[in-house]
Amino acid sequence: MLTLPPLPYAYDALEPYIDAQTMKIHHTKHHQGYLNQLNAGLAEHPALQGYAVETLLRNLESLPHGLQTIVRHHGGGHVNHRLFWTVMSPQGGGEPQGALREALEQTFGSWAAFQETFARAAATRFGSGWAWLVLTPFGELRVYSTPNQDSPLLFGHTPLLGLDVWEHAYYLKYQNRRADYIAQWWEVVHWDQVATYYAQARA
Ligand code: MN3
């Protein structure tokens, strides 16, 4: 039985960039909802309950057929949101330094080019989904978006940074203005945590 991890900050901590009401509904209703569905699915497969959700996502094709869609949608929803909360912080914003900064510049040409690439992936995702910065098994950084709750783990990639572009993530404050939400979101990105994920993924 998986339980909802608490946010590492208060619901209003990311104001004014992300409002408290959005954060509270997003965490206690949406994230909890994915967990409820995942728990219900796993309840029928006791032998699989001891595995990390990441492991289930990395091995989706090996799961019982009836469980695959549940893990893809709701297991993905759980791990995507768990990451999302940690890559934001009231002390966020600014720019990454160190090895991550160097790798971003080497991969995308410049810090600005990385930001443009990521923002474009987030803005052009049709419908609901996520924008990602991931590390491939070959040690390369990549930016792309996925539909729905599809996790980069499905492709064997390790997510380092994710941006939720479902309307539930921004509609109360930004309504239809997804581009404004994306632009403001940089102010809360917790680059120290992203750098830690990068170091862990390379280890
Ligand atoms: Mn969401």
Side-chain angles (χ1 to χ4, degrees):
M1 183 82 170
L2 295 157
T3 56
L4 186 67
L7 282 190
Y9 38 75
Y11 288 118
D12 64 357
L14 304 181
E15 295 262 13
Y17 308 107
I18 304 180
D19 60 287
Q21 188 183 14
T22 294
M23 288 297 294
K24 186 167 188 180
I25 294 170
H26 202 172
H27 183 244
T28 64
K29 305 299 182 187
H30 291 278
H31 190 171
Q32 183 68 60
Y34 296 118
L35 273 169
N36 293 346
Q37 296 290 321
L38 178 63
N39 282 328
L42 289 174
E44 297 171 26
H45 300 275
L48 295 171
Q49 289 174 12
Y51 291 92
V53 181
E54 287 85 347
T55 302
L56 303 181
L57 285 162
R58 285 182 188 274
N59 297 279
L60 193 77
E61 303 295 324
S62 300
L63 295 178
H65 190 72
L67 191 61
Q68 289 184 14
T69 300
I70 292 170
V71 168
R72 182 173 190 158
H73 292 173
H74 302 288
H78 170 49
V79 301
N80 292 346
H81 287 88
R82 192 177 55 190
L83 178 88
F84 186 51
W85 310 135
T86 65
V87 297
M88 300 187 291
S89 166
Q91 283 84 45
E95 302 177 6
Q97 305 298 327
L100 175 61
R101 172 62 173 249
E102 290 171 22
L104 288 170
E105 290 180 347
Q106 193 167 26
T107 303
F108 298 97
S110 68
W111 164 247
F114 158 72
Q115 278 196 304
E116 282 176 30
T117 302
F118 190 95
R120 189 166 57 243
T124 58
R125 164 48 53 192
F126 182 75
S128 298
W130 291 74
W132 300 104
L133 171 67
V134 305
L135 190 70
T136 75
F138 307 107
E140 295 177 313
L141 292 173
R142 286 182 59 188
V143 164
Y144 55 79
S145 70
T146 59
N148 306 312
Q149 293 295 348
D150 281 4
S151 164
L153 295 165
L154 295 171
F155 322 124
H157 298 165
T158 302
L160 308 176
L161 176 67
L163 173 56
D164 189 340
V165 295
W166 284 58
E167 284 188 343
H168 68 228
Y170 64 87
Y171 204 86
L172 290 178
K173 182 175 176 70
Y174 296 95
Q175 292 83 49
N176 60 309
R177 302 185 307 277
R178 186 193 287 187
D180 290 353
Y181 161 66
I182 296 166
Q184 294 293 300
W185 178 73
W186 295 112
E187 300 297 330
V188 297
V189 174
H190 190 5
W191 287 110
D192 288 348
Q193 183 62 63
V194 180
T196 298
Y197 290 145
Y198 178 57
Q200 289 171 348
R202 288 206 303 165

